[in-house]
Amino acid sequence: MSAWFFIIPVGLMVVSWCVFGMVFRGLLLALWFEPVLRVPVLIFESDDWGPGEPVQAQRLRRLAEVLSKYTDSQEHHPVATLGMVLAIPDKRRMREQGGEGYIALPLADARFAEMRDVIPRGVSQGVFAVQLHGMEHFWPPALIAAAKMDGAVASWLKSEFPRNETLPSSLQSRWIDAAVLPSKQHKWPEIERAAYDEVSVFSQVFGHSPEVVVPPTFVWSEDVERAWANNGVHVIVTPGRRFVGRDEHGKLIASGAPIRNGMRNAKGLVYMVRDDYFEPAKGHRAERAWAALEVKTRCGRPTLLEMHRFNFVDDPVVAERSYKELARAVEGALQRFPNLVFTSTEALAMAMADEQSDLIEYGMRARFRAWCWRIRQEAPVWRAARFTGLALLLNLAIK
């Protein structure tokens, strides 16, 4: 009789584990097949650079100076990827044309020559890597339509160098029409032409096609992916989900399954995940970056820190504080992780597709530990694991 007191609980536990496996099978497999990094990897991803105030060139030069002071064990500098916006509204020409239509002021304009000189220098130093953010950080027809209904947007258009950061969030989404909410999708011919134009202009400005694209506000569709792929883009930076629109309140609308590092779409584009933030101008301290790096490293994932332009181009005091906090983040990361690797998002995506890369872990024991840590980061799965007692085994596996 006493044997049943042992057999029944064990049997129930085994059954609950089987149910757990069946319920979360898809997610568990996705976590397993996501590439596992052998070493910590840290990348600073800085968006929104492009046509604007002349001070940007000076601030980018200072950013390069800060990053060039540090190297990893392979003599690589920390990399700040620059998500480039290629055009803003041309206030003067639009006024001359009566202000009814949209006219772009491109990054190729003579007024931005200094900035176009600073960026390639940073690339050659190994501290910058340019990425496509968009022709504009908005959809021009939607912006013009919104300006006719909203005085604040109309005033924004009259600025000398309007900054997309000060637009309503929904209007900053380039790949939807958010003039009126809920947003509407663009038609394929519009998408196809817009993708071709922005890739072409990027190539003219920087001398090569963009390898990596960062969708503005992370809103894009499968059609946009198809258009980018048709024009030679190979990597898409995501927040781990695809957002396809905005609801009546301007909130993002997610679509599809979660996205993992190294996944590919039907066209072969590689997805990378950026879901940690480091914005010193908003009070983020180096400790935040270190905490993100620790979690991502345990999970065998890269740490891509989102870090926008506004940290460095506003008040000089705020900008200098941002530089100092960035330097502190890099110094602390190197102290905590002596085997830390600095690289670009493009290079990392290529490594994930290379079966011979030294960055990727193939040993089953290390992969299993990373898998267990990843499960811990999935709240619904971890709650179920604790309920079934499976969490005890997973915790033992990672000790």
Side-chain angles (χ1 to χ4, degrees), residues 221-387:
S221 66
E222 291 186 7
D223 278 344
V224 176
E225 288 185 16
R226 177 158 58 102
W228 279 328
N230 290 346
N231 287 281
V233 173
H234 294 112
V235 182
I236 303 177
V237 175
T238 81
R241 295 297 301 267
R242 181 191 293 108
F243 295 102
V244 296
R246 302 257 183 178
D247 67 16
E248 61 272 19
H249 304 294
K251 293 183 178 179
L252 296 169
I253 301 171
S255 176
I259 294 172
R260 310 290 173 185
N261 286 303
M263 287 176 59
R264 291 176 178 269
N265 71 359
K267 283 282 190 175
L269 272 72
V270 179
Y271 296 111
M272 298 298 295
V273 175
R274 182 179 83 189
D275 56 3
D276 289 304
Y277 303 86
F278 181 59
E279 311 279 18
K282 290 187 174 182
H284 294 179
R285 304 295 303 276
E287 285 81 359
R288 182 188 181 102
W290 303 334
L293 180 59
E294 182 174 353
V295 172
K296 286 293 194 291
T297 299
R298 285 176 173 175
C299 294
R301 289 170 169 154
T303 306
L304 278 62
L305 293 178
E306 188 166 318
M307 181 181 71
H308 287 86
R309 170 181 67 171
F310 65 73
N311 292 285
F312 308 107
V313 298
D314 286 328
D315 183 279
V317 175
V318 174
E320 193 56 35
R321 190 161 59 237
S322 295
Y323 292 125
K324 289 180 179 178
E325 204 60 32
L326 173 61
R328 184 166 165 261
V330 174
E331 290 175 0
L334 287 168
Q335 291 169 1
R336 287 163 173 75
F337 298 92
N339 60 338
L340 182 65
V341 168
F342 299 128
T343 188
S344 69
T345 307
E346 175 188 345
L348 179 60
M350 291 176 62
M352 287 187 170
D354 181 4
E355 295 183 358
Q356 305 300 319
S357 174
D358 292 336
L359 289 180
I360 307 303
E361 177 62 67
Y362 296 101
M364 297 304 290
R365 182 176 180 182
R367 286 180 55 79
F368 181 73
R369 284 175 56 85
W371 184 67
C372 292
W373 277 111
R374 291 172 180 181
I375 292 173
R376 286 177 62 112
Q377 305 310 306
E378 303 288 336
V381 183
W382 189 242
R383 282 196 298 268
R386 294 175 64 182
F387 179 77

Side-chain angles (χ1 to χ4, degrees), residues 177-228:
D177 183 340
V180 176
L181 297 173
S183 64
K184 298 187 289 290
Q185 296 294 318
H186 301 324
K187 296 178 181 178
W188 168 248
E190 296 174 313
I191 293 172
E192 186 178 35
R193 182 65 191 180
Y196 172 82
D197 287 345
E198 65 182 22
V199 169
S200 297
V201 171
F202 185 101
S203 301
Q204 293 165 13
V205 172
F206 296 107
H208 61 86
S209 299
E211 289 287 330
V212 183
V213 66
V214 184
T217 73
F218 286 130
V219 175
W220 81 102
S221 66
E222 291 186 7
D223 278 344
V224 176
E225 288 185 16
R226 177 158 58 102
W228 279 328

Side-chain angles (χ1 to χ4, degrees), residues 39-249:
V39 293
V41 171
L42 178 61
I43 304 171
F44 295 94
E45 289 236 332
S46 190
D47 291 344
D48 296 347
W49 297 95
E53 303 95 327
V55 73
Q56 285 189 104
Q58 171 193 331
R59 302 298 171 81
L60 279 171
R61 190 176 291 110
R62 178 82 173 98
L63 180 58
E65 178 186 317
V66 170
L67 296 175
S68 65
K69 293 179 180 178
Y70 305 98
T71 58
D72 61 18
S73 60
Q74 300 176 30
E75 301 301 314
H76 296 146
H77 295 299
V79 176
T81 65
L82 306 180
M84 300 303 303
V85 176
L86 304 174
I88 58 175
D90 191 325
K91 180 190 75 169
R92 179 180 59 80
R93 293 180 62 202
M94 289 175 64
R95 185 176 63 245
E96 291 173 353
Q97 297 294 325
E100 291 297 319
Y102 175 81
I103 301 176
L105 175 60
L107 182 58
D109 189 89
R111 281 169 279 186
F112 311 119
E114 186 180 5
M115 187 176 183
R116 295 197 308 274
D117 179 64
V118 169
I119 292 175
R121 289 177 183 271
V123 172
S124 65
Q125 284 181 268
V127 296
F128 291 161
V130 288
Q131 301 181 163
L132 174 62
H133 203 23
M135 180 72 84
E136 291 94 357
H137 207 295
F138 49 82
W139 187 249
L143 181 72
I144 296 300
K148 294 177 181 178
M149 299 179 285
D150 188 331
V153 177
S155 296
W156 182 89
L157 273 170
K158 297 176 182 177
S159 303
E160 183 68 29
F161 295 115
R163 292 175 54 184
N164 60 269
E165 300 97 317
T166 58
L167 275 175
S169 179
S170 57
L171 285 179
Q172 293 183 44
S173 297
R174 170 171 172 76
W175 294 107
I176 52 173
D177 183 340
V180 176
L181 297 173
S183 64
K184 298 187 289 290
Q185 296 294 318
H186 301 324
K187 296 178 181 178
W188 168 248
E190 296 174 313
I191 293 172
E192 186 178 35
R193 182 65 191 180
Y196 172 82
D197 287 345
E198 65 182 22
V199 169
S200 297
V201 171
F202 185 101
S203 301
Q204 293 165 13
V205 172
F206 296 107
H208 61 86
S209 299
E211 289 287 330
V212 183
V213 66
V214 184
T217 73
F218 286 130
V219 175
W220 81 102
S221 66
E222 291 186 7
D223 278 344
V224 176
E225 288 185 16
R226 177 158 58 102
W228 279 328
N230 290 346
N231 287 281
V233 173
H234 294 112
V235 182
I236 303 177
V237 175
T238 81
R241 295 297 301 267
R242 181 191 293 108
F243 295 102
V244 296
R246 302 257 183 178
D247 67 16
E248 61 272 19
H249 304 294

